[in-house]
Amino acid sequence: MSRNRTTRRVAGPLAGLAGAAVLAAATLPGSTATASPDAPAQQSARQTAAKTAPKASPEDRVAALVKSVDGPGVRKHLVALERIGDKHGSRASGTPGYRASKNYVVKQLRKAGYHPQVQSFDFSYFEVTAPPVLQRTAPEPATFVEGTDFDILEYSGSGDVTGTVEGVDLALDDIENSTSGCEAADFAGFTAGNIALVRRGTCDFSVKVVNAQDAGASAVVLMNQGNGEDRSGPFIGTLGGPVGTVPAVTTTFALGRDLEGDTVRVSTSTESETRTTWNVTAETQRGRQGNVVMAGAHLDSVVEGNGINDNGTGSAALLHVAEKLAQKIKAPRNQVRFAWWGAEESGLLGAEHYVSELATENPRALRDIALYLNFDMVGSPNYALFVYDGDNSAFPAGDDAAEAPKGSAQIERAFRTFFRSRDLATRPTAFDGRSDYGPFIAEGIPAGGLFTGAEGIKTKAEARLFGGKAGVAYDECYHQACDDLSNVSMKAVRINTKAIASLVGTYAFSTKSVNGRATGHDRRNATTPLAHDHGHGAGTVTATR
């Protein structure tokens, strides 16, 4: 009921009759309805009140944004991605499931009032179409276990071969300095048709495999280097592209050493080809274009399944925040740009393509990016609340972490402050550039983000802080078919989505804590992400050498 009504109310049973008489008079042919003489004065008063009423502060508008985001809003998007994955078998880049995921995000953004941009690019698609096999057939038959004893190399060729394992310049008396297979000359005297055994070290795996193929090897076994615990066990590797024409697998240092001279069967079934995939970006129509706040998440899954935690959670949370920001913060001071990346699981390719294209075709637009926030796996079922270590205090720059660009420490501090305001503990995760923020920090763009754990094991201390089970992976379905809607902690999703909304909203009004009085970022702060690796912070690393 309007509070500005000026007609006097008629009491008692006559009220209905009086109302009817007024209505009739207003609608009689030839009659003229007149407004109350008080109406112009009241309209003027309302206009004056609107002009003099205090506007909501940026802090109030950010608080309203944070309050508006909720679990059901994110879950709606997760359900949609689950249905897409169920229909198409996965949401991996290069598949119909990814195309449908991209179309869904674009549709939701348009409904929210954005004008999304779709950027296409080609990439090397790879799929394992049957489980790989590694067996010793003589002298002592044995069947080895994938993921424990060996793994297929990404972009391995296909085939089913049995042959003698022949070591190539293994130099086992010099564990630290392996160049096995790095030179074509290493294969001098190699027996064509044998299985080449090469040792990790010095050069890219692709160089070793191509040299072995050229020397007539029927398959390649790449053993770990053996110089320390982290380079002795099983490992996941990639050739970086479809250069492999023969079966190629990795093994532990111990198993590789034991297989030399034995008769072994290696069987792989793979598909490699060039396919097209897409990035999706959407930005606010208002805000300074010279000081852009970016937030992103990768949209693709692995080919094994739906990828609802990895990374449906990050994608859905970001989409929900974008929808609510359009409602709650219509006039940000800084332009906000959201991004959903393709082909992250193939090596951060979507983010790399976006950044490299800007660097080549519009370097000014690249300089205008003030900061980048990354959200990769924010709902792991046995979660911990990890914040990227932007000040390198827990993970100093070196073998395990990249040097964080100036301003990244302030982003980490802002995330931690938000969680503390909710009486929630956090723990740092290595700022290593192994997710989609890697290409941004390589350009000197301050970055930060959230992560809830992959296949790493939750410690007892973390279980006391966050609940869940110690001694168990944060996500036991990481990169597996069981990464579906049942593999998500909505509790973790809810709190992380509110943290995302808080920082995106805050930086929409001011990035002063990150870049001071300047706009954009300083290219002189560029750093080098950990090279030749790809993974999710504390998660799996896919090595190239």
Side-chain angles (χ1 to χ4, degrees):
M1 183 177 65
S2 172
R3 295 184 179 182
N4 296 318
R5 187 166 178 164
T6 59
T7 306
R8 179 177 296 176
R9 297 182 62 188
V10 180
L14 297 179
L17 294 175
V22 171
L23 179 61
T27 56
L28 283 175
S31 65
T32 302
T34 58
S36 165
D38 292 337
Q42 292 209 357
Q43 182 178 4
S44 177
R46 286 197 301 270
Q47 291 173 345
T48 300
K51 289 179 181 179
T52 58
K55 293 183 179 179
S57 68
E59 292 78 11
D60 289 340
R61 281 183 278 180
V62 173
L65 172 63
V66 173
K67 184 177 181 180
S68 71
V69 298
D70 56 27
V74 181
R75 194 177 191 279
K76 175 187 73 172
H77 298 316
L78 292 175
V79 169
L81 295 176
E82 173 92 321
R83 289 172 178 166
I84 289 170
D86 286 345
K87 180 178 180 180
H88 297 287
S90 84
R91 298 186 308 100
S93 273
T95 69
Y98 185 79
R99 180 189 292 269
S101 298
K102 176 262 295 181
N103 290 343
Y104 174 79
V105 170
V106 168
K107 181 180 179 180
Q108 299 307 308
L109 289 168
R110 285 176 177 160
K111 286 172 62 176
Y114 292 94
H115 303 286
Q117 301 294 312
V118 178
Q119 179 188 49
S120 66
F121 62 96
D122 293 338
F123 77 110
S124 297
Y125 176 81
F126 176 74
E127 181 178 354
V128 178
T129 55
V133 174
L134 179 64
Q135 295 175 324
R136 180 170 53 212
T137 59
E140 297 178 3
T143 298
F144 303 105
V145 179
E146 181 187 8
T148 300
D149 302 311
F150 79 102
D151 271 294
I152 189 170
L153 266 167
E154 187 179 31
Y155 299 109
S156 164
S158 290
D160 189 337
V161 302
T162 299
T164 301
V165 176
E166 182 175 345
V168 177
D169 191 29
L170 296 180
L172 295 179
D173 56 342
D174 186 6
I175 295 299
E176 296 293 330
N177 302 297
S178 173
T179 62
S180 172
C182 291
E183 304 289 340
D186 294 344
F187 292 86
F190 183 84
T191 303
N194 278 355
I195 296 171
L197 174 65
V198 294
R199 188 157 69 97
R200 183 182 185 180
T202 304
C203 63
D204 287 353
F205 301 150
S206 58
V207 174
K208 297 173 186 283
V209 170
V210 168
N211 284 338
Q213 293 171 173
D214 291 346
S218 59
V220 180
V221 175
L222 175 63
M223 62 187 285
N224 215 339
Q225 190 167 347
N227 56 331
E229 183 177 351
D230 62 337
R231 290 178 75 91
S232 294
F235 66 104
I236 297 174
T238 180
L239 300 179
V243 298
T245 59
V246 300
V249 298
T250 66
T251 70
T252 66
F253 174 76
L255 179 56
R257 183 180 54 196
D258 291 344
L259 289 179
E260 186 176 14
D262 293 349
T263 303
V264 167
R265 177 190 173 209
V266 182
S267 176
T268 58
S269 179
T270 66
E271 183 177 350
S272 297
E273 63 182 11
T274 299
R275 295 189 182 182
T276 299
T277 192
W278 305 273
N279 294 324
V280 178
T281 58
E283 58 195 26
T284 57
Q285 297 304 301
R286 301 178 69 176
R288 291 186 297 177
Q289 297 180 358
N291 199 53
V292 177
V293 174
M294 279 201 73
H298 77 85
L299 183 58
D300 62 318
S301 72
V302 293
V303 296
E304 285 77 9
N306 294 350
I308 299 303
N309 183 38
D310 182 18
N311 183 38
T313 54
S315 292
L318 195 66
L319 182 56
H320 185 49
V321 170
E323 292 170 326
K324 293 300 183 180
L325 184 134
Q327 297 173 7
K328 301 297 181 181
I329 303 179
K330 297 181 183 297
R333 185 158 188 255
N334 301 312
Q335 188 173 72
V336 179
R337 185 178 303 149
F338 298 96
W340 289 264
W341 307 116
E344 188 271 356
E345 297 291 3
S346 298
L348 319 183
L349 300 184
E352 286 187 349
H353 179 79
Y354 177 83
V355 171
S356 64
E357 187 169 276
L358 278 185
T360 301
E361 300 183 7
N362 196 348
R364 175 61 184 271
L366 182 61
R367 290 195 300 272
D368 289 341
I369 299 173
L371 59 91
Y372 174 75
L373 306 176
N374 194 68
F375 307 106
D376 194 349
M377 301 179 67
V378 297
S380 300
N382 193 32
Y383 72 90
L385 297 175
F386 291 118
V387 177
Y388 293 163
D389 182 30
D391 61 4
N392 292 119
S393 59
F395 299 91
D399 292 339
D400 296 324
E403 183 176 354
K406 185 178 179 181
S408 303
Q410 285 69 30
I411 296 173
E412 178 193 8
R413 187 176 303 126
F415 272 124
R416 293 170 70 92
T417 297
F418 172 83
F419 285 108
R420 280 198 303 270
S421 73
R422 304 275 173 137
D423 293 323
L424 293 169
T426 58
R427 283 291 178 265
T429 188
F431 194 88
D432 52 24
R434 288 177 178 147
S435 190
D436 287 304
Y437 63 98
F440 289 88
I441 66 174
E443 292 292 332
I445 298 171
L450 304 175
F451 174 60
T452 52
E455 89 286 21
I457 304 301
K458 176 176 273 189
T459 66
K460 291 181 179 179
E462 290 168 348
R464 287 193 294 269
L465 281 177
F466 307 112
K469 298 180 180 179
V472 176
Y474 305 106
D475 182 354
E476 293 186 274
C477 289
Y478 177 65
H479 281 190
Q480 298 178 50
C482 57
D483 185 10
D484 54 25
L485 195 57
S486 68
N487 189 51
V488 171
S489 166
M490 286 307 302
K491 181 179 180 181
V493 167
R494 281 193 297 272
I495 186 59
N496 278 318
T497 304
K498 288 187 178 293
I500 294 168
S502 178
L503 262 70
V504 170
T506 296
Y507 294 138
F509 288 109
S510 175
T511 61
K512 186 176 180 180
S513 64
V514 177
N515 57 1
R517 296 173 182 263
T519 56
H521 71 278
D522 190 339
R523 180 64 179 78
R524 290 173 296 180
N525 293 328
T527 187
T528 303
L530 296 190
H532 312 296
D533 295 318
H534 156 238
H536 299 83
T540 294
V541 174
T542 302
T544 63
R545 68 165 55 183

